[in-house]
Amino acid sequence: MPETGGIVLTLAEIAARLGGDVLGDGTTQIRRVATLASAGEGEIAFLANPKYRSQLATTGAAAVILAPKVAEAFAGPRLVIANPYAAYARVAAWLNPLPAAVPGVHSSAVVESVVPASVSIGPGVSIGRNVRLGEGVVIRAGCIIDDEVEIGAGSLLYPRVSVYRGCRIGERAIVHSGAVIGADGFGFAPDAGTWVKIPQVGIVAIGNDVEIGANTTVDRGALDDTVIGDGCKIDNQVQIAHNCRIGAHSVIAGCAGIAGSVTLGEGCIIGGAAMLAGHLSLAPGTTVSGGSFVTKSIKEPGVYTSLFPLDEHDDWARNASLVRRLPRLAERLAVIEKQLKADTASAE
């Protein structure tokens, strides 16, 4: 396991921060996080998935984070808390803080705006005119920040992020390498066999505590803005088209594609490689399984799946052939049912 820079917390200190209960020796020292299978001295593990419960009997972890219903399944020092997975995430963050950024502007950066002394601007960064950066913003090497952009306090942009003119990013955002915020939406009007570009005059407005993955693209609005709500977490290589509105605390997994003018309610979960057609609305709390294709609005929250299950190729081809024949079979069945009703009526 990588070293953590000498940070040590006792189990009791962790419990005091999280609000959980300690069973066993609260003075147990924790330096790292690890899995149940690999943990050893000075390492804390967690149990969130019941299928790993058997590993509690063999783990070498110094302590384990687990839920109340399985608190007695481990005899060693343990932290008992309702959400072990979230607790593990917080402990991991405390033990593995990001290196502190050094405030200042690199000599190779081009900065055309007045920025706070607390910001850190890396080599090769370009910052346009009338840009507003909050306190403690960190902009890594090669980022392009266009005119009139706003970035809130405590936000971090990894190398080679591009933020187009006028876009807004809230506080404590994390934007990973290669992300593009505010490129033109895909808007063209047909005219006698050609395509006339429609100016995209909206912006992208991103809330607080949002994380955007590497090489993800969020297009600016055509007229209204594209909006990403507070607390959203968006994975790598996701496409969010113009005029979408993503509700607060929604999660979008890698390679998902969301067409224009889609509205997600708060707390939606979109699985990897899911595709959403344009101009749809999803109810708050909706989950779309990975690989699904959504072609109509979803009015009631729940888990929705359109994925055709994986199978051996010959079986898959046979099943696909049956699916294509369903309309004709339905027509034939309707004719048969109609004839049966007629025969029944005649017999009576």
Side-chain angles (χ1 to χ4, degrees), residues 79-96:
L79 173 62
V80 181
I81 197 164
N83 190 339
Y85 195 35
Y88 146 76
R90 291 188 170 94
V91 173
W94 296 333
L95 295 175
N96 298 274

Side-chain angles (χ1 to χ4, degrees), residues 210-253:
V210 171
E211 184 159 354
I212 295 177
N215 294 323
T216 282
T217 54
V218 184
D219 291 345
R220 67 193 311 112
L223 293 174
D224 297 327
D225 298 337
T226 300
V227 178
I228 310 295
D230 291 347
C232 287
K233 311 301 179 185
I234 301 171
D235 199 1
N236 302 333
Q237 297 180 332
V238 171
Q239 159 67 7
I240 298 176
H242 57 186
N243 297 107
C244 287
R245 303 185 72 87
I246 309 301
H249 306 291
S250 292
V251 176
I252 304 174

Side-chain angles (χ1 to χ4, degrees), residues 271-326:
M275 306 298 290
L276 277 63
H279 302 275
L280 305 182
S281 295
L282 273 62
T286 296
T287 294
V288 175
S289 298
S292 296
F293 183 27
V294 183
T295 59
K296 61 181 181 180
S297 293
I298 298 174
K299 298 181 180 180
E300 297 294 332
V303 179
Y304 294 83
T305 303
S306 68
L307 184 66
F308 202 84
L310 181 72
D311 206 343
E312 293 185 1
H313 177 74
D314 289 346
D315 291 337
W316 183 91
R318 184 163 49 252
N319 290 334
S321 176
L322 289 172
V323 170
R324 288 195 296 268
R325 291 168 55 194
L326 284 177

Side-chain angles (χ1 to χ4, degrees), residues 90 137 150-157 168-176 205-213 228-235 246-252:
R90 291 188 170 94
V137 166
E150 297 181 20
I151 301 176
S155 291
L156 167 61
L157 275 60
R168 300 197 303 268
I169 298 175
E171 297 180 355
R172 299 173 299 280
I174 300 173
V175 185
H176 289 275
I206 296 174
N208 298 329
D209 302 300
V210 171
E211 184 159 354
I212 295 177
I228 310 295
D230 291 347
C232 287
K233 311 301 179 185
I234 301 171
D235 199 1
I246 309 301
H249 306 291
S250 292
V251 176
I252 304 174

